[in-house]
Every structure is written in C-alpha cells, then in structure tokens.
Amino acid sequence: MVATTAASAFFPVPSPDSVAKPTKSGNGPTNLGMLKSKSSSGALQGKANAQAPRKINGTSVGLATLPVVVKDEGSRPSTAPRTFINTLPDWSMLLAAITTVFLAAEKQWMMLDWKPKRPDVLVDPFGLGRIVQDGLVYTQNFSIRSYEIGADRTASIDTLMNHLQETALNHVKSAGLLDDGFGSTPEMYKKNLIWVVTKMEVLVNRYPAWGDVVQVDTWVCGSGKNGMRRDWLVRDCKTGETLTRASSMWVMMNKNTRKLSKMPEEVREEIEPYFLNSAPVVEEDNRRLPKLNDDTADFIRSGLTPRWSDLDVNQHVNNVKYIGWILESAPPEILESHEISALTLEYRRECSKDSVLQSLTAIPGNQDSDLKSCGEVECQHLLRLENGAEIVRGRTEWRPKYSSNCGVAGEVPAESA
C-alpha cells in the first residue's frame, strides 16, 4: 500500500474516461495494464497483471499496478453529428501553400533588380508630350533606346531627326489641328494639301548616349506669305545642356497634282494663332550648295532604292531616309573617326517607291590628306535619280569623335511683343 501511494505521486493515474488497449506481447514490462475481459450477466470485469516489484535494501521499489477502468460499448459517447462545418476542408493547408507561392514570387521579383539606377530615367518614362507656354510650345521626352545608337554607343543622326519629326506631328495633333494626312489641318484636307519640307538646318553640340533622356521642345513661326518655319531645341533632361538645335522651312503641296501651292486664307486662319514670334534657333546658312556631277564628286554610290517601310502616309519617301542615303557615299574613314556637327539639306524633289537613286559626295580641299587625322571636315552631297534629276542637295560638317566641342546653349524663346 505504501509502495502504491509513493508510485502514484510520480506516475499520475489516468482519468476514468481513458480506455486501455491490450497488446499482443505477453512477456516483459510491456504487459503492464494487459486486460482479460469476460462477459457474465451483462457486466465486465478487468484483471490487471503487474510485474513483482524489486527490492533494494529491503525496500520494495518499482512500478505499481495502475487501476484500469473498462467501459462498456454502450457507455461510449456518440460521435459528433455531421454538419456543414465538419465537411469543410482544412483551409490552413491551402493558406500555407498560397503564402509559400507568394513568398517565392516576391523573392524572384526582388532578384530581378528592375529598379532604375538613375533618377533621371523616371522623368516622363512614357514619353507623353504636352503643350506649354500659353499653348505655343510643345515639349516631349525621349529615352535613347539600344536600337537607336551606333557603334560608339551614342544616338545616330537618324534618331535625332526622327525625334524632331515625331514632336512636330504630335504638336499638331495635340493642338487639335491634325486631320487625315501627315500633319494636314482640316482645311488642308478639304483642299488636298499637305506639308513638305524645303530646307533643314541642324546643329549638334553633343550626341546623347544609350539610356539618356532628352527633352525636345518645338514651335512654329510664320515665314513669308506661303511658308512656315518650325524650330526645335533638344536638351539633356538631367543637366539641362542643349544638345541639338534645328530649324526647318515648310510649304504646301497639292496631294493630287504634286505641285507646290499657295497657302489659302482658311488654312492661315487655322494655324496663325499657334505661331510664335521668335528668331530662328539656328542662324540661316546662306552659302550656296553646289551641284555635283560625276566629275566633281569624289565618291559615288549607285543603285539605292526605297523600301516599302521608307514610305510615309503620303506615299512618298520620308525625308529622314534621305540622310541615310546621303551618308552611303561618305568615305568610311570619316564615318569611323568623325561625327556630324552641322547638317544642311535642301529638298528639290520628292522620291517615290519605284525610284532608283545615286548618292554623290565631294570633300573640297582634302583629297590628298589623311581623313582620319584631319580636324574638322566639310562634305558636299547630292542625291539624284538615275536620270540626273536632283532630289536633295546637302552639306555636312564633321568633327573628331569624343571632342569637347560645346556649342552655344539655346533657350526656349519667349513670345515678343
């Protein structure tokens, strides 16, 4: 009795509701609590077998026999009734799986490191332009893409010219003057008139690099009775440095007859409210552009033909494409060691999709010198049809690449009284 009381202090007796299950083994300590049940007159009797306690120093120690209570089958509580709550799945497993997926996705997203390193990349990331300065100046940002740069990792002259043309059309569209046509106003569309460029002058102080963001500002001014002048100013969004200045002259041409036309009064009334009274950003170069021929040209490239992608919506070759054709006849030594610092183009005739052209280039006064070692170089150009009809006359000025040539910084003009 004493041994039983001492053992119960260290080994708690199970509750009466617990039921002991018999084991198959019949030897050793594992037989503790083995039951022999026998049914007689509806009652159950249990008998527990226990191992005899050991004696140490004359005192009995060991495990005591624990009382076992066996309940009748009829006395067991019934299972809980089947309800909607009991039939629901274990949502904790589903939530754990979803959490694991989200954590893995977040880890992969952070490993991509998509965040820009430079804050200037965030400036107008979608290139959405807007009209500023009392509705007379249009401004738009462009990020220099990888496919817009050349071998020296800077934007090409074609890229700059495409930016100028894009802002010009977006300006007309934002002002509500763009109708069906390439920059045609509603009145121009009624009279089958389109804009054509006759002269373009560009000064490049520095070419933007891959990843740079540039801001292009453009506006229009009147030029005589039948013309219009459009100017551009390109600046670095981060530093505000002026990169490029450009000025162009535009006249109207009949879309059906392909002949130049005077500006109707209805059209003038449409566009005059958007004229900005300002001086050109590029001082006009009045030097005459000579006409080249087979004898005066130093380099000739023949067999140039337009592709379908070179045509614009007016079904003639885009004027930016002419620049690429002109440079086809430029000597490779200049293309490798120099870059264009100034460009002047005079458009004489349009080019159709079936035209075959020749590109001619002359370098006056530098025939015998090493072009790579030269400082500034001037080239004269002519783009003509195979029958001799002139398309474009041009002049390019070149400077050595990576030079610290800085031009005069321009500013967006303010409307004068």
Side-chain angles (χ1 to χ4, degrees):
M1 185 68 180
V2 176
T4 302
T5 305
S8 63
F10 294 94
F11 300 93
V13 180
S15 62
D17 295 336
S18 62
V19 178
K21 295 182 180 181
T23 60
K24 295 182 180 180
S25 173
N27 299 323
T30 55
N31 290 336
L32 293 178
M34 173 172 282
L35 300 179
K36 291 184 180 180
S37 59
K38 191 185 295 183
S39 359
S40 61
S41 65
L44 294 178
Q45 294 180 353
K47 182 179 181 180
N49 297 330
Q51 186 179 12
R54 300 178 182 179
K55 294 183 179 181
I56 300 177
N57 297 329
T59 305
S60 297
V61 294
L63 298 177
T65 301
L66 303 179
V68 178
V69 180
V70 179
K71 290 188 177 181
D72 191 2
E73 294 289 338
S75 63
R76 293 182 182 178
S78 60
T79 58
R82 186 177 181 84
T83 63
F84 174 74
I85 301 299
N86 294 339
T87 60
L88 291 178
D90 190 357
W91 293 106
S92 61
M93 305 253 332
L94 179 61
L95 292 177
I98 295 176
T99 304
T100 303
V101 171
F102 273 98
L103 291 177
E106 182 181 9
K107 182 177 180 180
Q108 293 294 328
W109 183 258
M110 297 301 295
M111 291 175 62
L112 292 176
D113 194 18
W114 60 272
K115 297 180 180 179
K117 302 296 183 182
R118 295 164 44 185
D120 57 291
V121 178
L122 299 177
V123 179
D124 196 8
F126 301 105
L128 303 178
R130 61 191 185 278
I131 294 180
V132 296
Q133 198 166 319
D134 298 331
L136 302 178
V137 177
Y138 181 82
T139 180
Q140 185 173 358
N141 293 349
F142 295 91
S143 177
I144 305 302
R145 313 295 183 181
S146 60
Y147 52 82
E148 297 175 327
I149 63 175
D152 53 357
R153 296 177 177 268
T154 58
S156 62
I157 186 67
D158 297 43
T159 297
L160 300 183
M161 299 298 291
N162 282 324
H163 290 170
L164 302 185
Q165 180 173 273
E166 181 70 11
T167 52
L169 292 175
N170 290 341
H171 182 196
V172 179
K173 182 178 180 180
S174 299
L177 298 177
L178 184 63
D179 206 274
D180 187 13
F182 211 43
S184 299
T185 65
E187 288 296 330
M188 291 175 62
Y189 175 71
K190 294 178 183 178
K191 303 179 184 302
N192 292 321
L193 297 176
I194 59 175
W195 289 109
V196 292
V197 59
T198 59
K199 189 174 183 179
M200 173 78 71
E201 294 182 274
V202 182
L203 296 179
V204 182
N205 299 329
R206 182 176 66 83
Y207 288 87
W210 177 24
D212 288 347
V213 180
V214 298
Q215 175 182 322
V216 183
D217 298 329
T218 183
W219 58 93
V220 292
C221 309
S223 178
K225 294 182 179 180
N226 301 308
M228 179 185 70
R229 189 187 82 241
R230 177 174 286 277
D231 292 342
W232 293 272
L233 189 64
V234 183
R235 292 177 292 184
D236 190 309
C237 280
K238 183 177 181 181
T239 63
E241 174 191 2
T242 298
L243 305 179
T244 304
R245 291 173 289 151
S247 184
S248 60
M249 301 296 299
W250 299 75
V251 295
M252 292 186 179
M253 184 179 73
N254 189 285
K255 188 176 182 180
N256 297 329
T257 64
R258 317 307 289 186
K259 294 182 179 180
L260 298 182
S261 173
K262 294 182 179 180
M263 183 182 296
E265 283 298 323
E266 296 83 358
V267 177
R268 187 182 301 276
E269 292 176 359
E270 277 184 324
I271 62 177
E272 268 193 346
Y274 299 93
F275 284 172
L276 182 64
N277 187 13
S278 64
V281 294
V282 178
E283 186 177 354
E284 185 176 3
D285 189 349
N286 294 320
R287 291 180 295 169
R288 180 178 175 272
L289 295 175
K291 179 181 179 179
L292 301 180
N293 52 42
D294 295 343
D295 298 329
T296 58
D298 300 319
F299 306 91
I300 300 178
R301 176 70 183 275
S302 302
L304 302 175
T305 57
R307 297 175 301 177
W308 178 257
S309 59
D310 298 330
L311 305 179
D312 59 24
V313 296
N314 291 325
Q315 297 300 312
H316 65 206
V317 176
N318 192 296
N319 62 84
V320 178
K321 182 61 181 178
Y322 296 154
I323 300 176
W325 282 336
I326 285 175
L327 298 181
E328 285 290 332
S329 60
E333 295 85 353
I334 291 183
L335 296 177
E336 294 175 1
S337 59
H338 289 65
E339 62 184 9
I340 295 178
S341 60
L343 171 68
T344 302
L345 299 176
E346 290 183 359
Y347 297 88
R348 302 299 181 92
R349 185 180 281 102
E350 65 176 339
C351 179
S352 63
K353 62 181 180 179
D354 299 324
S355 302
V356 181
L357 302 93
Q358 291 180 331
S359 178
L360 292 77
T361 296
I363 307 177
N366 292 283
Q367 290 85 353
D368 300 329
S369 61
D370 185 7
L371 296 177
K372 286 187 177 181
S373 61
C374 291
E376 295 184 354
V377 180
E378 180 179 309
C379 297
Q380 298 170 354
H381 306 275
L382 175 65
L383 191 64
R384 68 184 184 185
L385 298 176
E386 284 190 331
N387 59 11
E390 296 185 18
I391 302 295
V392 178
R393 290 187 186 184
R395 177 173 49 245
T396 56
E397 298 178 12
W398 303 72
R399 61 169 175 254
K401 290 183 179 179
Y402 315 114
S403 63
S404 58
N405 187 357
C406 297
V408 179
E411 298 294 339
V412 177
E415 184 178 10
S416 60

